[in-house]
Amino acid sequence: MSKHYYTSESVTVGHPDKICDTVADSIVDYALSQDPNSKMAVECTIKDDFILIYGECNTKANIPFEEIALNTVKEIGYTEEFHVLVKVGQQSPEINQAVVKEDEVGAGDQGIMYGYACDETPNYMPLSIDLAHRLAKQLQHVRETDPETILKPDGKTQVTVEYEGDKITRIDTIVVSTQHCACASLEDVQKYVMEKVVTPICANELVDENTKYLINPSGSFIVGGSFGDSGTTGRKIVVDTYGGHGRIGGGCFSSKDPSKVDRSAAYYARYVAKNVVAHGFAKKCEIQVSYAIGVVKPISVYVDTYGTNTVSEEQIQDFVNKNFDFTVTNIIRELDLRRPIYKKLAAYGHFGRTDLNAPWEAIKDIQ
């Protein structure tokens, strides 16, 4: 069997792109908490001490954009003084008319969405992205709970998994880059991260004496967040999904209300793919679904098991048809998506989350 390597990355909530995703989804949550039928497409960009909030919305909520942005950045862990410019207009009446129908919800845009699942981990996520997320979350956890921490909010993780054929054999490389206080040397950071972050997450995984650990390989990382780089909503769609395993659609999730199928249909496609694998029909599964703006039903639904199916493709398609309804109205209703649940999803992935009781991660009773 051929040996090959697969790598996935994650980033912390303090990464500049994730600051923007978190601000955008905090705005979505506020709107939905006041008006569950809010139509939101409000994004964020950040550089240095400047935050731009921009986009369109149609909501009964009176949204304090500047207050939400400033509070979110402070919650993440940045203490600098930031300045906010807001440029938010009314959603196009043509789009609103196309989406809002008397009894059904039409898709908020055209596009293709994908869902993916595999049996590599208990949460049906690929091991490389699952471990990368767990390491990134551990960076935040240690920073927030250790009173003597040397860590700052910005950080990235990366995990390389070795395969022989389709079988995972070991973890080849673990990379952690973290912002830190100026008082800490590179040796201090490497020792601290290994002890507090890497070992608690990876000690019982497939690490061996040849596993490589690269902690802050660039050296000093004192300047971070928006002062080290710019950030914008929706630039981490591979981190948000499956770490490069499977395909990704053309749109991001953060900033969008559930009428936008970029978000809701991607959640539902994950739900269906996970159930195909969880019920033993395949070892891995990908669902592609497509929509046209204003149209209630999908244009197409395609199931791909990469040849790992244990029953016929016809039986799997029959299982999907009997148990799942891809209309936008049903997706919103079945997954209960008109709730303020999105801020907590903005960092560390939207899938495989065992900490949030996400409805699209449920195993459904089948017919």
Side-chain angles (χ1 to χ4, degrees):
M1 291 184 291
S2 63
K3 182 182 294 185
H4 64 278
Y5 301 86
Y6 204 98
T7 303
S8 299
E9 72 160 349
S10 183
V11 297
T12 66
V13 70
H15 183 281
D17 291 332
K18 279 298 154 195
I19 296 172
C20 294
D21 285 341
T22 306
V23 169
D25 278 340
S26 296
I27 292 169
V28 170
D29 279 0
Y30 185 92
L32 292 175
S33 70
Q34 304 297 308
D35 176 9
N37 293 309
S38 295
K39 300 297 183 292
M40 303 299 298
V42 176
E43 303 188 55
C44 175
T45 289
I46 191 169
K47 177 54 185 165
D48 294 338
D49 61 352
F50 174 69
I51 302 172
L52 174 63
I53 307 296
Y54 58 99
E56 305 82 40
C57 66
N58 191 334
T59 178
K60 297 176 183 177
N62 184 16
I63 304 173
F65 294 103
E66 180 177 356
E67 179 183 344
I68 291 172
L70 293 176
N71 287 343
T72 302
V73 172
K74 185 176 180 180
E75 288 174 10
I76 288 171
Y78 291 102
T79 58
E80 294 84 357
E81 182 178 349
F82 289 84
H83 307 278
V84 181
L85 175 64
V86 179
K87 297 287 286 184
V88 177
Q90 185 82 359
Q91 183 190 55
S92 163
E94 294 173 314
I95 294 176
N96 188 64
Q97 183 180 18
V99 174
V100 178
K101 301 181 182 296
E102 185 174 345
D103 299 316
E104 296 274 8
V105 177
D109 201 351
Q110 73 173 49
I112 54 171
M113 300 84 213
Y114 290 92
Y116 181 85
C118 64
D119 63 358
E120 290 185 5
T121 62
N123 60 355
Y124 298 94
M125 290 290 286
L127 179 61
S128 58
I129 188 64
D130 185 58
L131 268 181
H133 282 324
R134 286 164 57 191
L135 287 166
K137 288 176 71 175
Q138 183 70 0
L139 279 172
Q140 179 183 351
H141 175 73
V142 170
R143 174 173 60 85
E144 293 178 341
T145 59
D146 182 359
E148 298 181 353
T149 188
I150 58 176
L151 304 183
K152 296 294 184 179
D154 197 356
K156 304 179 81 170
T157 62
Q158 188 171 282
V159 175
T160 301
V161 175
E162 180 184 285
Y163 291 80
E164 287 188 7
D166 289 332
K167 183 181 179 181
I168 294 173
T169 52
R170 54 186 292 274
I171 305 300
D172 182 74
T173 307
I174 293 171
V175 182
V176 179
S177 294
T178 179
Q179 186 187 10
H180 59 86
C181 64
C183 63
S185 68
L186 177 59
E187 292 73 19
D188 292 335
V189 174
Q190 291 174 332
K191 180 179 178 182
Y192 184 86
V193 170
M194 194 69 193
E195 177 185 344
K196 300 283 188 176
V197 178
V198 176
T199 299
I201 298 300
C202 300
N204 296 320
E205 294 290 349
L206 298 168
V207 297
D208 59 24
E209 66 276 8
N210 295 316
T211 299
K212 298 180 284 293
Y213 302 95
L214 303 176
I215 299 173
N216 278 27
S218 68
S220 179
F221 185 2
I222 297 169
V223 179
S226 59
F227 296 89
D229 197 1
S230 61
T232 294
T233 305
R235 290 204 301 196
K236 287 291 178 285
I237 55 177
V238 175
V239 172
D240 287 345
T241 53
Y242 308 101
H245 295 261
R247 301 172 181 89
I248 56 173
C252 70
F253 305 147
S254 293
S255 81
K256 298 173 182 177
D257 73 88
S259 73
K260 310 295 192 300
V261 283
D262 280 335
R263 168 166 247 160
S264 54
Y267 290 174
Y268 202 74
R270 158 66 178 176
Y271 180 46
V272 177
K274 180 174 180 177
N275 273 270
V276 169
V277 177
H279 287 294
F281 297 129
K283 293 178 68 63
K284 64 174 72 172
C285 178
E286 179 182 84
I287 305 290
Q288 185 206 63
V289 58
S290 67
Y291 292 86
I293 187 168
V295 178
V296 171
K297 294 183 178 181
I299 304 302
S300 64
V301 177
Y302 173 60
V303 182
D304 185 1
T305 62
Y306 300 87
T308 68
N309 47 305
T310 60
V311 299
S312 70
E313 294 179 353
E314 290 75 16
Q315 286 177 280
I316 295 174
Q317 191 66 58
D318 185 58
F319 162 74
V320 171
N321 293 340
K322 284 183 177 179
N323 291 279
F324 301 98
D325 177 358
F326 285 86
T327 60
V328 182
T329 301
N330 177 71
I331 290 173
I332 293 172
R333 180 177 58 242
E334 187 174 355
L335 300 184
D336 194 14
L337 295 180
R338 294 197 188 277
R339 298 175 292 138
I341 59 175
Y342 300 108
K343 178 182 178 181
K344 293 181 178 179
L345 289 164
Y348 312 118
H350 293 245
F351 308 119
R353 298 292 293 268
T354 58
D355 56 331
L356 299 180
N357 196 29
W360 51 91
E361 295 298 324
I363 307 301
K364 187 173 185 176
D365 293 333
I366 64 173
Q367 298 179 17

